[in-house]
Amino acid sequence: MEGGIHTDADTTAFRDCLSLSRKNPFVLRLAFSAGIGGLLFGYDTGVISGALLYIRDDFKSVERQTVLQESIVSMAVAGAIIGAAIGGWLNDKYGRRTAILIADFLFFIGAVLMALAPNPSIIIVGRVFVGLGVGMASMTAPLYISEASPAKIRGALVSTNGFLITGGQFLSYLINLAFTRVPGTWRWMLGIAGIPALLQFVLMLLLLESPRWFYRKGKEEEAKAILRKIYPSDEVDIEIQALKESVEKEALENESSENISFGKLLKTKTVRRGLIAGVGLQIFQQFVGINIVMYYSPTIVQLAGIASNQTALLLSLVIAGLNAFGSIVSIYFIDRTGRKKLIIFSLCGVILSLGLLSAVFHETTSHSPAVSAAETSHFAPYTCPDYRSSRSSATWNCMKCLKSSSPSCGFCSSSQNKQFPGACLISNNTVKDICNGEDRSWYTRGCPSSFGWLALIGLGLYIIFFSPGMGTVPWIVNSEIYPLRYRGICGGIAATANWISNLIVAQSFLSLTQVIGTSWTFLIFGVIAVVALLFVLVCVPETKGLPIEEIEKMLERRAFQLEFWKKPDVPTKNQEA
């Protein structure tokens, strides 16, 4: 899933971070050790997109059944939903460090199961284990870093978790590409994730629990011992007092929050409007299609007419790089342009990109090469049965050939030009090797097209526009928009909505492309993006630079300011008086 990156960290914080890391390497070791959880999160998001290409080649049941492909992708998301829910309880009961250790164990078990899987069912079980680990780590790693970091560089250190998420995605594409010619391809791609999980497990064993958790459990001496490792000796007493006051305040808030119910949340005007904005942004983040790009980008590239797995992975690497770049860009612009303006700009670009992708895939489908009887007879023993028995075989083209299902068939392009008529043949590894052996290209997902490069441009533009705005702003708004008393429960509701939306999209994308076509699928996402834009204009307030009290007042009077290009009016104390 697309993760949020905290933006409290500016260039000064990063300079302080580098300076302190030289003076006190323990702090950097702590942040790096916990931050590997973000790397694992990002790696899992990206690696399945490439591994799926080769899993399909090894297991024909996966190639034939779209629902199996979707399940292999989405079961990790389902596991993450459960893992995040369990992770909250584990964090409070046994501590942040213990939760991370359990997450690493689950991730390692999942990686081993997938690497050794004899059938697709075991791959899915392994994906569930990995998802459980990802769900726990995604919420625990930032929390551990935040609670065990010096206050003045906390934002910079927490933001490293976000960088490691996008870095993990980029790394997964590099590793996918590295193992394309190695026997066992996808087994290495999925299994190698066990190495960073094992590394983090060992590193976390050498660290202690967060000082805040120790203090909450009444272990004050242990908390003080860790604070002495984190802060200079002259600051320790001040930090201990601050920690004491913070924990006492949290305890009071928890007591007042015990009677909070979902009905009470909806009856409170400011909370209800905050939830509409926050949950709505999280749902739209997924339903404008980001994780279909992250989970299925090599498949989408093949649907655009790129036959080679290696080429599809190489082009997808560019997409992952643009995503990482966009995350960095967002940190620069988020506090300069404001949340609402940035997300509106982002959605406008997303709408245009999805429109371009829809148009490209429409043209690709409409102008797919014809099936030639002469070309097909060249491979007579392997002719597609549906084509052979069809009374209208003269009207067949590549797209119709690929839709044959009894058995599934593939398209072998002409040896002269890929756009020329080709052969419709039974789809199996033997026929694929024969076709490729004659300097032809073998297609089972998409058809040869002169418009394929436009689809790559569309995907690149989509990521460039999405990442700085829709990729990060929903998380930032959710961290700012709720009253303090309700922030924990409302943030949990919004995050759960994001995971569930992620699951729905991941489990339905390939089925949609099969039932209504790739062009219509991207058009649907484009229409949803238009609805998201209208939603942001009407329901999402600008929270840039506003204190919590002013955000509550804005929600109370619903002053959401449709003229988003203007700076919001922030009442001064004199005006309020």
Side-chain angles (χ1 to χ4, degrees), residues 397-459:
N397 59 20
C398 172
M399 290 304 300
K400 190 166 184 179
C401 174
L402 299 190
K403 290 179 180 179
S404 298
S405 58
S406 54
S408 58
C409 297
F411 183 81
C412 184
S413 68
S414 168
S415 58
Q416 299 175 357
N417 187 314
K418 292 180 182 179
Q419 308 300 318
F420 288 179
C424 183
L425 310 172
I426 295 171
S427 178
N428 59 45
N429 288 335
T430 302
V431 176
K432 175 184 176 182
D433 292 341
I434 292 172
C435 177
N436 290 333
E438 296 189 7
D439 290 328
R440 299 167 182 255
S441 294
W442 178 247
Y443 295 85
T444 57
R445 302 295 300 172
C447 292
S449 172
S450 57
F451 301 101
W453 62 275
L454 281 174
L456 302 178
I457 291 175
L459 284 174

Side-chain angles (χ1 to χ4, degrees), residues 19-310:
S19 174
L20 186 62
S21 67
R22 285 193 294 268
K23 297 175 185 175
N24 186 0
F26 173 79
V27 173
L28 196 63
R29 181 162 66 92
L30 181 150
F32 171 76
S33 299
I36 294 175
L39 183 79
L40 288 170
F41 184 3
Y43 185 88
D44 177 71
T45 303
V47 72
I48 195 62
S49 63
L52 187 63
L53 302 182
Y54 295 93
I55 292 171
R56 288 200 314 246
D57 289 344
D58 279 7
F59 298 113
K60 288 305 169 186
S61 59
V62 177
E63 174 70 35
R64 290 192 299 269
Q65 299 178 54
T66 299
V67 69
L68 261 182
Q69 297 175 41
E70 292 169 332
S71 296
I72 288 171
V73 171
S74 65
M75 281 304 102
V77 182
I81 295 172
I82 299 169
I86 297 172
W89 174 77
L90 279 174
N91 271 298
D92 289 337
K93 183 74 173 176
Y94 299 106
R96 287 68 164 125
R97 174 176 168 270
T98 302
I100 291 175
L101 289 172
I102 293 172
D104 288 331
F105 176 75
L106 290 170
F107 204 106
F108 183 79
I109 293 298
V112 171
L113 280 173
M114 291 186 294
L116 301 177
N119 55 60
S121 299
I122 301 300
I123 297 176
I124 291 173
V125 172
R127 291 288 290 167
V128 172
F129 271 91
V130 165
L132 289 168
V134 164
M136 289 182 191
S138 67
M139 65 171 299
T140 307
L143 185 62
Y144 182 83
I145 296 170
S146 175
E147 292 182 351
S149 302
K152 64 180 179 180
I153 63 166
R154 184 171 297 139
L157 289 179
V158 172
S159 69
T160 60
N161 187 68
F163 285 126
L164 284 168
I165 291 174
T166 51
Q169 291 170 341
F170 186 73
L171 177 65
S172 71
Y173 284 96
L174 281 176
I175 289 177
N176 281 348
L177 202 57
F179 285 107
T180 52
R181 297 188 184 278
V182 175
T185 51
W186 61 269
R187 297 183 185 276
W188 287 101
M189 294 172 182
L190 297 175
I192 205 169
I195 295 175
L198 189 60
L199 174 64
Q200 186 180 40
F201 188 90
V202 173
L203 290 174
M204 292 304 297
L205 283 176
L206 302 176
L207 293 172
L208 294 173
E209 194 42 83
S210 84
R212 186 179 188 87
W213 187 84
F214 271 141
Y215 207 96
R216 287 175 61 190
K217 296 298 179 181
K219 301 180 179 181
E220 296 184 19
E221 291 306 314
E222 289 90 338
K224 290 176 183 177
I226 298 176
L227 287 172
R228 291 189 184 99
K229 289 186 175 183
I230 297 171
Y231 291 94
S233 56
D234 58 329
E235 296 180 19
V236 171
D237 290 337
I238 298 172
E239 291 302 324
I240 289 173
Q241 183 60 32
L243 179 60
K244 179 182 177 182
E245 292 173 0
S246 176
V247 171
E248 288 174 352
K249 182 181 177 182
E250 181 185 355
L252 289 173
E253 287 177 355
N254 287 340
E255 287 177 13
S256 64
S257 300
E258 285 180 0
N259 296 323
I260 292 176
S261 64
F262 190 69
K264 188 173 182 180
L265 290 177
L266 295 179
K267 288 177 182 177
T268 307
K269 186 188 294 185
T270 55
V271 179
R272 183 177 68 250
R273 289 176 175 173
L275 272 174
I276 290 171
V279 173
L281 281 176
Q282 294 285 32
I283 291 172
F284 280 121
Q285 184 192 63
Q286 295 301 322
F287 275 95
V288 298
I290 179 56
N291 277 321
I292 65 167
V293 175
M294 298 313 298
Y295 295 148
Y296 295 112
S297 57
T299 300
I300 294 171
V301 169
Q302 289 190 333
L303 288 170
I306 306 297
S308 165
N309 285 352
Q310 290 89 349

